[in-house]
Amino acid sequence: MSTGRLYALLTDLYQLTMLQAYVIEDMFDTAVFDLFARRLPRQRNYLIACGLDDALVYLESLHFDDEALAYLASIGKFKAEFLDYLASFRFSGDVYAVPEGTVVFPGEPILEVVAPLPQAQLVESFLLNQIHFQTLVASKVSRVVTAARGKPVIDFGLRRYHGIDAGLKAARAAFIAGAQGTSNVLAGQRYGIPLSGTMAHSYVLAHSDEAEALAHFAEVYPDTVLLVDTYDTLAGVRKVVALAQRLGSEFHVRAIRLDSGNLLELSRQSRRILDEAALKQVGIFASGELDENRIDNLLKEGAPIDAFGVGTRMGTSADAPFIDSAYKLVSYAGENRMKLSAGKATSPGRKQVYRLEKDGYAVGDVMTLHGESQAGKPLIQPVMREGRRLTDTPTDLVSIRHHCQREIAALPKHILQLQQSEQSYRVSLSSALEMERHRLSGKQKLAPADSFCRMNRNSPPTGGNTD
C-alpha cells in the first residue's frame, strides 16, 4: 500500500472541514505555505532539517481510496460533492526545501509548498508530523555526536521510542546526524543503516554461570562485545580476561560493555584490568541513560570509553521533546499574507535564505523575498514540480549524512557548544522583506530585522493551541 493511500486520513479534522469550505467557495487559487520553527528549544543553538524524503513520498502518492471515502461519508459532515472531489484528489503542486541535513534557524523555511489552496492546506498535518519529529531527533543526535568527540555513537533506543514510526524515523534521523549505526533491524533493512548489537543481561541470566555465558557467546560470535555488568562489573571484566588467557590466539573479542553504575570509575578500573592483562586491543563500550551532557562530562574527566550506545534520551529528545514548529499561509491568489498574532507573527511571501560564509564558516543568514538578489549561498531548492519529485533530490542516506557533516563542520564554535550560546547566530531580513512585513502589518509595530533571530530563540511558547 502506498504511503499516500495509507495516510490519507492521517490529518486533523479541521483540514477536511476547511477543504470542504474552500471547495464550496471555489477557492482554488495558488497558495504558498511555509513550514518553519518559530523558536529554538532551550539549550539548542541550531536545528538540523530532516524528514523531507518522507514528505515527498507522501505527496507523490496521496489519494483517498474507497475505504477512506466511506469512512468520511459515515461521519456526516461532508457533502457528496466534496467526497467526489476527494475521490479524484492528487497533489499537483511544487515544493521547495532546504536539503535534508541542512542547519537551519528560527523563522527560516525548512519547506515551502506552492499549490492550489485545498491541496496545500490538506498536507499540513502530515508534513509537520514527519519533518518536526525527524528534525527534532536529528538536532538532538547532532549534540550527542558532538559531545562524543569523534567516538562512535550507536542508536539503542527502539524499545522506548514513541511508537513504530518514531522508532524507524528516529534511527534514520540519527544516522543522518552522525550516529554510526542502530540496533533497529527494520531500520537497517529499510534504510541501509549499519546494524549494531550483541547480547542482553537476559542471556547471562539464562545461564547458571556468568563465565560460561560469556564463553559460549564468544564461541558463537568471536568478534563481539561482551556485557560484563550483570552481577559485579569488575568481576565480569576479570572473567573476560580469564577467557582471553584460555583461548589465547583464538580470542577475538572487540570490547566489553558497561551498562550501569559509575561509568567513569568503572571504565577506568576496567581499562586498568584489561591493560594489565595485555588486552589493550579490547575496547570499552558504554551505554545506559546516556545523553550529550553525560557523555561530555565522562570524556572531560578522561573516561577511557571508546564508543557509546545511546537510547531513550536521544531518540525522544528527553530534555526538549518538541520544537515550536508551524506551517503557515504566506501568500494566496498572488497576494502576500501575514499573521500578526502576538508571539506568532510570520513573514509574508515566498522566500529564499542565503548563508553568508567567511573562511569556511557560516557567519549569518539573510532571509529574502523570492527572486531577490543577495550575496551568499541559497539554501532553498526546488524538490518537486507539479506533484512529481525532481530526480536530483537526494535520497541516498550516506550522501545526506555527508551533507549534514559538512554543514555542522561549518558552524562557529559558539553555536556548536552544548550550552546555550550567549551570542545568537544572526538571521536578518532583507530590506525588501522587512518593508513587506511593515506594509502588511499597517500600524503594527514589528521588531527590527537585525533582532529577528533573537526574537525567536529559546523562549517558551505561550501554551494552548500552537496554531
Side-chain angles (χ1 to χ4, degrees):
M1 181 180 289
S2 69
T3 298
R5 178 185 173 196
L6 182 63
Y7 293 126
L9 295 183
L10 189 61
T11 189
D12 293 296
L13 179 61
Y14 74 176
Q15 308 291 8
L16 292 166
T17 56
M18 282 190 291
L19 248 66
Q20 179 165 249
Y22 289 150
V23 170
I24 291 171
E25 295 175 69
D26 198 29
M27 295 180 68
F28 292 99
D29 285 327
T30 298
V32 180
F33 280 79
D34 281 358
L35 192 158
F36 60 96
R38 286 195 181 101
R39 51 185 63 82
L40 292 169
R42 295 192 185 279
Q43 302 303 315
R44 301 288 191 275
N45 296 317
Y46 64 94
L47 299 172
I48 301 293
C50 200
L52 176 62
D53 183 70
D54 287 291
L56 297 181
V57 169
Y58 163 79
L59 292 174
E60 274 198 314
S61 58
L62 176 58
H63 68 282
F64 292 80
D65 62 14
D66 291 342
E67 183 179 357
L69 293 169
Y71 173 73
L72 292 178
S74 73
I75 295 175
K77 288 181 175 289
F78 303 112
K79 301 177 183 296
E81 296 82 359
F82 176 63
L83 295 176
D84 288 341
Y85 165 79
L86 290 183
S88 60
F89 184 96
R90 295 294 186 276
F91 182 80
S92 63
D94 301 338
V95 179
Y96 302 81
V98 301
E100 285 197 272
T102 298
V103 170
V104 294
F105 297 92
E108 299 178 342
I110 296 173
L111 174 147
E112 284 193 334
V113 172
V114 182
L117 178 59
Q119 296 181 27
Q121 183 74 67
L122 176 63
V123 301
E124 173 184 4
S125 300
F126 187 91
L127 297 185
L128 275 170
N129 175 277
Q130 292 296 304
I131 291 177
H132 166 269
F133 177 71
Q134 293 186 56
T135 297
L136 175 75
V137 174
S139 304
K140 175 70 170 183
V141 174
S142 176
R143 290 167 54 82
V144 174
V145 170
T146 296
R149 298 162 170 77
K151 298 178 184 293
V153 171
I154 308 298
D155 162 43
F156 266 17
L158 171 62
R159 64 190 62 193
R160 294 196 182 97
Y161 294 162
H162 299 159
I164 296 170
D165 190 60
L168 286 169
K169 302 305 170 53
R172 180 184 186 275
F175 185 70
I176 287 173
Q180 296 281 358
T182 182
S183 64
N184 185 335
V185 178
L186 183 56
Q189 185 263 345
R190 180 169 296 184
Y191 302 121
I193 302 171
L195 293 175
S196 180
T198 54
M199 63 191 305
H201 295 101
S202 55
Y203 181 85
V204 176
L205 291 168
H207 292 75
S208 58
D209 178 78
E210 183 180 31
E212 174 189 340
L214 298 176
H216 282 314
F217 202 82
E219 181 179 358
V220 178
Y221 305 102
D223 182 21
T224 193
V225 177
L226 294 177
L227 184 62
V228 296
D229 72 333
T230 303
Y231 303 114
D232 178 285
T233 300
L234 298 182
V237 177
R238 293 187 180 95
K239 289 169 184 173
V240 173
V241 169
L243 177 62
Q245 291 170 342
R246 179 163 66 83
L247 293 178
S249 62
E250 297 301 312
F251 179 82
H252 302 294
V253 170
R254 283 184 292 115
I256 60 168
R257 177 179 158 209
L258 309 176
D259 189 55
S260 59
N262 186 327
L263 293 180
L264 176 60
E265 289 305 316
L266 287 173
S267 64
R268 286 172 171 169
Q269 294 180 60
S270 297
R271 185 73 270 162
R272 184 173 64 251
I273 292 170
L274 293 169
D275 288 352
E276 289 173 351
L279 293 175
K280 294 182 182 293
Q281 79 279 11
V282 177
I284 297 177
F285 186 98
S287 58
E289 299 183 2
L290 294 175
D291 63 10
E292 67 269 41
N293 295 311
R294 194 172 180 202
I295 290 172
D296 184 54
N297 290 334
L298 284 167
L299 295 182
K300 279 180 178 177
E301 294 295 323
I305 297 172
D306 301 291
F308 299 92
V310 189
T312 305
R313 296 174 188 271
M314 185 169 74
T316 62
S317 189
D319 64 317
F322 73 96
I323 299 168
D324 186 14
S325 55
Y327 179 88
K328 293 301 170 190
L329 179 72
V330 296
S331 176
Y332 177 62
E335 296 184 7
N336 291 338
R337 305 298 169 99
M338 180 180 176
K339 183 176 178 179
L340 296 175
S341 306
K344 295 183 178 181
T346 58
S347 289
R350 281 192 59 194
K351 302 175 191 70
Q352 180 58 271
V353 178
Y354 291 89
R355 181 145 297 160
L356 308 178
E357 297 179 334
K358 183 178 181 180
D359 300 327
Y361 288 93
V363 295
D365 292 353
V366 180
M367 189 156 62
T368 74
L369 289 170
H370 176 73
E372 279 192 72
S373 179
Q374 167 68 44
K377 177 177 68 176
L379 301 185
I380 300 174
Q381 303 172 4
V383 294
M384 176 172 278
R385 190 83 68 203
E386 296 181 353
R388 306 307 299 173
R389 184 186 192 130
L390 299 182
T391 56
D392 58 352
T393 306
T395 58
D396 174 54
L397 228 55
V398 173
S399 297
I400 297 171
R401 172 187 171 91
H402 288 163
H403 171 71
C404 185
Q405 290 171 337
R406 291 190 296 270
E407 286 279 301
I408 294 169
L411 286 174
K413 289 183 179 178
H414 70 276
I415 298 299
L416 274 176
Q417 68 184 28
L418 299 182
Q419 300 75 30
Q420 184 172 313
S421 174
E422 294 182 2
Q423 179 184 354
S424 299
Y425 184 89
R426 187 175 182 217
V427 178
S428 58
L429 306 184
S430 71
S431 57
L433 179 53
E434 184 71 5
M435 289 175 62
E436 184 69 353
R437 292 177 77 226
H438 280 283
R439 183 184 74 82
L440 291 175
S441 64
K443 297 181 180 180
Q444 179 82 9
K445 185 176 180 181
L446 297 173
D450 62 0
S451 66
F452 183 76
C453 184
R454 290 188 294 278
M455 177 176 68
N456 287 287
R457 66 164 290 116
N458 293 302
S459 53
T462 55
N465 192 314
T466 57
D467 286 343

